[in-house]
Coordinates of all heavy atoms in Angstrom, one line a residue:
G1 N 17.4 -25.4 -25.2 CA 17.0 -24.2 -24.5 C 15.6 -24.2 -24.1 O 15.1 -23.1 -23.6
R2 N 14.9 -25.3 -24.2 CA 13.5 -25.3 -23.8 C 13.3 -25.4 -22.3 O 12.3 -25.0 -21.7 CB 12.7 -26.5 -24.5 CG 12.6 -26.4 -26.0 CD 11.9 -27.6 -26.5 NE 10.5 -27.7 -26.0 CZ 9.8 -28.8 -26.2 NH1 10.2 -29.8 -26.8 NH2 8.6 -28.8 -25.6
I3 N 14.3 -26.0 -21.6 CA 14.3 -26.1 -20.2 C 15.6 -25.4 -19.7 O 16.7 -25.8 -20.2 CB 14.3 -27.6 -19.7 CG1 13.0 -28.3 -20.2 CG2 14.4 -27.6 -18.1 CD1 12.9 -29.7 -19.7
A4 N 15.5 -24.5 -18.8 CA 16.7 -23.8 -18.3 C 17.5 -24.6 -17.3 O 17.0 -25.6 -16.8 CB 16.3 -22.5 -17.6
L5 N 18.7 -24.2 -17.1 CA 19.6 -25.1 -16.2 C 19.0 -25.3 -14.8 O 19.0 -26.4 -14.3 CB 21.0 -24.4 -16.1 CG 22.0 -25.0 -15.2 CD1 22.3 -26.5 -15.7 CD2 23.3 -24.2 -15.1
T6 N 18.6 -24.2 -14.2 CA 18.2 -24.4 -12.8 C 16.9 -25.3 -12.6 O 16.9 -26.2 -11.8 CB 17.9 -23.0 -12.2 OG1 19.0 -22.1 -12.4 CG2 17.6 -23.1 -10.7
P7 N 15.9 -25.1 -13.4 CA 14.8 -26.1 -13.4 C 15.2 -27.5 -13.7 O 14.7 -28.4 -13.1 CB 13.7 -25.5 -14.4 CG 14.1 -24.1 -14.6 CD 15.6 -24.0 -14.4
A8 N 16.1 -27.6 -14.7 CA 16.6 -28.9 -15.1 C 17.3 -29.6 -13.9 O 17.1 -30.9 -13.7 CB 17.5 -28.8 -16.3
V9 N 18.0 -28.9 -13.1 CA 18.7 -29.5 -11.9 C 17.7 -30.0 -11.0 O 17.8 -31.1 -10.5 CB 19.6 -28.4 -11.3 CG1 20.1 -29.0 -9.9 CG2 20.8 -28.1 -12.1
E10 N 16.6 -29.3 -10.7 CA 15.5 -29.8 -9.9 C 14.9 -31.0 -10.4 O 14.6 -32.0 -9.7 CB 14.4 -28.7 -9.7 CG 14.9 -27.4 -9.1 CD 15.3 -27.6 -7.6 OE1 14.6 -28.4 -6.9 OE2 16.3 -26.9 -7.2
L11 N 14.7 -31.1 -11.7 CA 14.0 -32.2 -12.3 C 14.9 -33.5 -12.3 O 14.4 -34.6 -12.4 CB 13.6 -31.9 -13.8 CG 12.7 -30.8 -14.0 CD1 12.4 -30.5 -15.5 CD2 11.3 -31.1 -13.3
S12 N 16.2 -33.3 -12.2 CA 17.2 -34.4 -12.2 C 17.0 -35.2 -11.0 O 17.5 -36.4 -11.0 CB 18.6 -33.9 -12.3 OG 19.0 -33.3 -11.1
Y13 N 16.4 -34.7 -9.9 CA 16.2 -35.5 -8.7 C 14.9 -36.4 -8.8 O 14.7 -37.2 -7.9 CB 16.0 -34.6 -7.5 CG 17.4 -33.9 -7.1 CD1 17.7 -32.7 -7.6 CD2 18.3 -34.6 -6.3 CE1 18.9 -32.1 -7.3 CE2 19.5 -34.0 -6.0 CZ 19.8 -32.7 -6.5 OH 21.0 -32.1 -6.2
L14 N 14.1 -36.3 -9.9 CA 13.0 -37.2 -10.1 C 13.5 -38.5 -10.5 O 14.6 -38.6 -11.2 CB 12.1 -36.6 -11.1 CG 11.0 -35.6 -10.7 CD1 11.6 -34.4 -10.0 CD2 10.2 -35.1 -11.9
T15 N 12.8 -39.6 -10.2 CA 13.2 -40.9 -10.6 C 13.0 -41.0 -12.1 O 12.3 -40.1 -12.8 CB 12.3 -42.0 -10.0 OG1 10.9 -41.9 -10.4 CG2 12.3 -41.9 -8.5
E16 N 13.6 -42.0 -12.7 CA 13.5 -42.2 -14.2 C 12.0 -42.3 -14.6 O 11.6 -41.7 -15.6 CB 14.3 -43.4 -14.6 CG 14.3 -43.6 -16.1 CD 15.3 -44.7 -16.6 OE1 16.2 -45.0 -15.8 OE2 15.0 -45.3 -17.6
Q17 N 11.2 -43.1 -13.8 CA 9.8 -43.3 -14.2 C 9.1 -41.9 -14.0 O 8.2 -41.6 -14.9 CB 9.2 -44.3 -13.2 CG 7.7 -44.6 -13.5 CD 7.1 -45.6 -12.5 OE1 7.8 -46.0 -11.6 NE2 5.9 -46.0 -12.8
E18 N 9.3 -41.2 -13.0 CA 8.7 -39.9 -12.8 C 9.1 -38.9 -14.0 O 8.2 -38.2 -14.5 CB 9.1 -39.3 -11.5 CG 8.5 -40.0 -10.3 CD 9.1 -39.6 -9.0 OE1 10.2 -38.9 -9.0 OE2 8.6 -39.9 -7.9
Q19 N 10.3 -39.0 -14.4 CA 10.7 -38.1 -15.5 C 10.0 -38.5 -16.8 O 9.6 -37.6 -17.6 CB 12.2 -38.2 -15.7 CG 13.0 -37.6 -14.6 CD 14.5 -37.6 -14.9 OE1 14.9 -37.3 -16.1 NE2 15.3 -37.9 -14.0
H20 N 9.7 -39.8 -17.0 CA 9.0 -40.2 -18.2 C 7.5 -39.7 -18.1 O 6.9 -39.3 -19.1 CB 9.0 -41.7 -18.4 CG 10.3 -42.2 -19.0 ND1 10.6 -42.0 -20.4 CD2 11.4 -42.9 -18.5 CE1 11.7 -42.5 -20.7 NE2 12.2 -43.0 -19.6
L21 N 6.9 -39.8 -16.9 CA 5.6 -39.2 -16.8 C 5.5 -37.7 -17.1 O 4.6 -37.2 -17.7 CB 5.1 -39.5 -15.3 CG 4.8 -40.9 -14.9 CD1 4.5 -41.0 -13.5 CD2 3.7 -41.5 -15.8
L22 N 6.6 -37.0 -16.6 CA 6.7 -35.6 -16.9 C 6.8 -35.3 -18.4 O 6.2 -34.4 -18.9 CB 7.8 -35.0 -16.1 CG 8.2 -33.5 -16.4 CD1 7.0 -32.6 -16.1 CD2 9.4 -33.1 -15.7
L23 N 7.6 -36.2 -19.0 CA 7.8 -36.0 -20.5 C 6.5 -36.1 -21.2 O 6.2 -35.4 -22.1 CB 8.8 -37.1 -20.9 CG 9.1 -37.1 -22.5 CD1 9.8 -35.8 -22.9 CD2 10.0 -38.3 -22.8
N24 N 5.7 -37.1 -20.8 CA 4.4 -37.3 -21.4 C 3.5 -36.0 -21.3 O 2.9 -35.6 -22.3 CB 3.6 -38.4 -20.8 CG 4.2 -39.8 -21.2 OD1 4.9 -39.9 -22.2 ND2 4.0 -40.8 -20.4
E25 N 3.6 -35.4 -20.1 CA 2.8 -34.2 -19.9 C 3.4 -33.0 -20.7 O 2.6 -32.2 -21.3 CB 2.8 -33.8 -18.4 CG 2.1 -32.5 -18.0 CD 0.6 -32.5 -18.4 OE1 0.0 -33.6 -18.5 OE2 0.1 -31.4 -18.6
I26 N 4.7 -32.9 -20.8 CA 5.3 -31.8 -21.6 C 4.9 -31.9 -23.0 O 4.6 -30.9 -23.7 CB 6.9 -31.9 -21.4 CG1 7.3 -31.4 -20.0 CG2 7.6 -31.0 -22.5 CD1 8.8 -31.6 -19.7
E27 N 4.9 -33.2 -23.6 CA 4.6 -33.4 -25.0 C 3.1 -33.1 -25.2 O 2.8 -32.5 -26.2 CB 4.9 -34.8 -25.4 CG 6.4 -35.1 -25.4 CD 6.7 -36.6 -25.7 OE1 5.8 -37.4 -25.6 OE2 7.8 -36.9 -26.2
Y28 N 2.3 -33.4 -24.2 CA 0.9 -33.2 -24.4 C 0.5 -31.7 -24.3 O -0.2 -31.2 -25.2 CB 0.1 -33.9 -23.3 CG -1.4 -33.5 -23.2 CD1 -2.3 -33.7 -24.3 CD2 -1.9 -32.9 -22.1 CE1 -3.6 -33.3 -24.2 CE2 -3.2 -32.5 -22.0 CZ -4.0 -32.7 -23.1 OH -5.3 -32.3 -23.0
A29 N 1.1 -31.0 -23.3 CA 0.8 -29.6 -23.1 C 1.6 -28.7 -24.0 O 1.3 -27.5 -24.1 CB 1.0 -29.3 -21.6
D30 N 2.7 -29.2 -24.6 CA 3.7 -28.4 -25.3 C 4.2 -27.3 -24.5 O 4.3 -26.1 -24.9 CB 3.0 -27.9 -26.6 CG 4.0 -27.3 -27.6 OD1 5.2 -27.7 -27.5 OD2 3.7 -26.5 -28.4
A31 N 4.5 -27.6 -23.2 CA 5.0 -26.6 -22.3 C 6.0 -27.3 -21.3 O 5.8 -28.4 -20.9 CB 3.9 -25.9 -21.5
T32 N 7.0 -26.6 -20.9 CA 8.0 -27.1 -20.0 C 7.8 -26.4 -18.6 O 7.3 -25.3 -18.5 CB 9.4 -26.9 -20.5 OG1 9.6 -25.5 -20.7 CG2 9.7 -27.6 -21.7
P33 N 8.3 -27.1 -17.5 CA 8.0 -26.5 -16.2 C 8.9 -25.3 -15.9 O 10.1 -25.2 -16.3 CB 8.4 -27.7 -15.2 CG 9.3 -28.6 -16.0 CD 8.8 -28.4 -17.5
S34 N 8.4 -24.4 -15.2 CA 9.1 -23.2 -14.6 C 10.0 -23.7 -13.5 O 9.8 -24.9 -13.0 CB 8.2 -22.1 -14.2 OG 7.4 -22.6 -13.1
L35 N 10.8 -22.8 -12.9 CA 11.6 -23.2 -11.7 C 10.7 -23.5 -10.6 O 10.9 -24.5 -9.9 CB 12.5 -22.1 -11.4 CG 13.3 -22.2 -10.1 CD1 14.2 -23.5 -10.1 CD2 14.2 -21.0 -9.8
S36 N 9.7 -22.7 -10.4 CA 8.7 -23.0 -9.3 C 8.0 -24.3 -9.4 O 7.9 -25.1 -8.5 CB 7.7 -21.9 -9.2 OG 6.7 -22.2 -8.2
Q37 N 7.6 -24.7 -10.6 CA 6.9 -25.9 -10.9 C 7.9 -27.1 -10.7 O 7.6 -28.1 -10.1 CB 6.3 -26.0 -12.3 CG 5.1 -25.0 -12.4 CD 4.7 -24.9 -13.9 OE1 5.5 -24.9 -14.8 NE2 3.4 -24.7 -14.1
A38 N 9.1 -26.9 -11.2 CA 10.2 -28.0 -11.0 C 10.4 -28.2 -9.6 O 10.6 -29.4 -9.1 CB 11.4 -27.6 -11.8
Q39 N 10.5 -27.2 -8.8 CA 10.7 -27.3 -7.3 C 9.6 -28.1 -6.7 O 9.8 -28.9 -5.8 CB 11.0 -26.0 -6.7 CG 12.3 -25.3 -7.1 CD 12.4 -23.9 -6.6 OE1 11.4 -23.2 -6.5 NE2 13.6 -23.4 -6.4
R40 N 8.4 -27.8 -7.1 CA 7.2 -28.5 -6.5 C 7.2 -29.9 -6.9 O 6.9 -30.8 -6.1 CB 5.9 -27.8 -7.0 CG 5.6 -26.5 -6.2 CD 4.5 -25.7 -6.8 NE 3.2 -26.5 -6.9 CZ 2.5 -26.7 -5.8 NH1 2.8 -26.3 -4.6 NH2 1.4 -27.4 -6.0
L41 N 7.5 -30.2 -8.1 CA 7.6 -31.6 -8.6 C 8.7 -32.4 -7.8 O 8.4 -33.5 -7.4 CB 8.0 -31.7 -10.1 CG 6.9 -31.1 -11.1 CD1 7.4 -31.0 -12.5 CD2 5.6 -32.0 -11.0
R42 N 9.8 -31.8 -7.6 CA 10.8 -32.4 -6.8 C 10.3 -32.7 -5.3 O 10.6 -33.7 -4.8 CB 12.1 -31.6 -6.8 CG 13.2 -32.2 -5.9 CD 14.5 -31.3 -5.9 NE 15.5 -31.8 -5.0 CZ 16.6 -31.2 -4.7 NH1 16.9 -30.0 -5.2 NH2 17.5 -31.8 -3.8

């Protein structure tokens, strides 16, 4: 429940390498992307 379905769908379009980079940032910041942020990342 840390990432909602709609932002997760946007993040699924990132490459595997990009997702790992995002994971590093999530772990560091202890925060997950909002829908708006996920859309910008995509």
Side-chain angles (χ1 to χ4, degrees):
R2 295 181 60 192
I3 301 179
L5 175 63
T6 308
V9 170
E10 297 294 324
L11 299 177
S12 72
Y13 289 94
L14 274 56
T15 67
E16 186 173 332
Q17 181 181 6
E18 291 168 345
Q19 290 186 46
H20 279 290
L21 291 175
L22 173 62
L23 177 64
N24 289 337
E25 176 61 22
I26 288 174
E27 290 177 341
Y28 168 65
D30 193 25
T32 56
S34 64
L35 174 58
S36 174
Q37 289 171 327
Q39 290 170 334
R40 283 171 57 74
L41 292 171
R42 179 183 175 184

